[in-house]
Amino acid sequence: MTVPPLAGHLNPATALAAELTRRGHEVHWVGSEAVLRPVLGPDAVVHPTGSRILREQSGHGAAAVASLWERFLLPYTKFTLPAVRRAVRAATPDLVLADQQMFAGALVAHQEGLPWVAVATTTMELARPFAALPAVEAELAGHLDAVRALAGVTGVDPRFSPLLTLALTSTALSGPARAATPVPPAYVGPLLGARPPLPVPPLPDGVPLVLVSTGTLADELAADFTGRAVAALDLLAGRAHALVV
């Protein structure tokens, strides 16, 4: 299981790994041991990639997408490829579970001729929000070419497995998939496992709770977004509570 050191990716991965372990499978992890070990515990098998500082995203709209690729996805792929390749060759797995934003897992599995499953914790790649903007789509295609070039492979889209892509959401939230995937994604909903509880204050029975959150690397974007979200939630005054994290 290859996963980036981001809470929104690691938490569902631990739930998936726990279920696989319960069914008798042996799960190895590839990632930052400094981040994974405190979450997984002392008995987990972790093949370390080392750790690096992850740069926050910036900009809005298409600029934010460019920032995601240039500040995180491309450099992180380059950083993790050697470690993922060593781990896969050492563990000789039957299957690689590749988080959709840790391309090294998919790329190495493809190179080694191993089956792999993509785990999509976000909806952006499935929904293609910039499908109507050809220039942005062309820029994204260029980034994908750059990712493949880092591994020296062609003919594979590391975002979507030819075997199975698990979408950790529902079409009610994300809409139908608009991406050209090799096989239709499986919308499985959230993977909920054991994790520290959120600091939710006591609430009266029957009062809806609205959770507002952003990605791990989106602090720079969150200030503006959170302010606008809180203003919008004023419309629910007296009818719901909001928790902003």
Side-chain angles (χ1 to χ4, degrees):
M1 182 169 286
T2 62
V3 61
L6 306 172
H9 299 250
L10 179 56
N11 283 334
T14 59
L16 180 56
E19 179 60 21
L20 290 171
T21 301
R22 188 187 70 81
R23 297 187 183 193
H25 298 284
E26 181 181 343
V27 178
H28 288 218
W29 295 81
V30 188
S32 167
E33 186 162 18
V35 176
L36 268 60
R37 183 63 67 188
V39 175
L40 302 177
D43 297 328
V45 180
V46 177
H47 300 263
T49 60
S51 301
R52 61 169 290 157
I53 296 174
L54 304 179
R55 299 170 63 190
E56 291 182 3
Q57 297 169 235
S58 62
H60 298 276
V65 176
S67 173
L68 171 66
W69 281 84
E70 294 165 5
R71 291 189 172 197
F72 174 56
L73 295 176
L74 284 164
Y76 194 65
T77 300
K78 183 177 181 179
F79 177 73
T80 55
L81 267 170
V84 172
R85 189 173 289 113
R86 288 194 300 269
V88 166
R89 291 177 178 175
T92 60
D94 298 304
L95 178 72
V96 174
L97 290 164
D99 184 284
Q100 196 183 44
Q101 291 192 349
M102 190 166 174
F103 295 141
L107 294 169
V108 170
H110 177 75
Q111 283 181 312
E112 300 292 318
L114 293 170
W116 61 280
V117 168
V119 181
T121 59
T122 70
T123 62
M124 184 177 71
E125 301 298 342
L126 293 166
R128 285 187 66 200
F130 299 103
L133 300 174
V136 179
E137 288 273 289
E139 183 177 355
L140 292 175
H143 288 319
L144 277 171
D145 286 339
V147 161
R148 285 187 280 260
L150 288 173
V153 302
T154 58
V156 61
D157 187 337
R159 301 171 300 172
F160 306 114
S161 165
L163 179 65
L164 174 65
T165 294
L166 294 175
L168 310 189
T169 183
S170 71
T171 54
L173 286 174
S174 67
R178 300 177 65 192
T181 58
V183 295
Y187 286 83
V188 299
L191 303 183
L192 303 177
R195 63 184 71 176
L198 284 172
V200 180
L203 299 173
D205 291 339
V207 176
L209 176 67
V210 179
L211 173 66
V212 179
S213 183
T214 57
T216 310
L217 300 180
D219 284 351
E220 186 176 329
L221 307 176
D224 178 58
F225 168 80
T226 302
R228 288 185 284 115
V230 169
L233 289 168
D234 282 343
L235 298 172
L236 298 176
R239 290 181 290 146
H241 290 273
L243 178 63
V244 181
V245 296

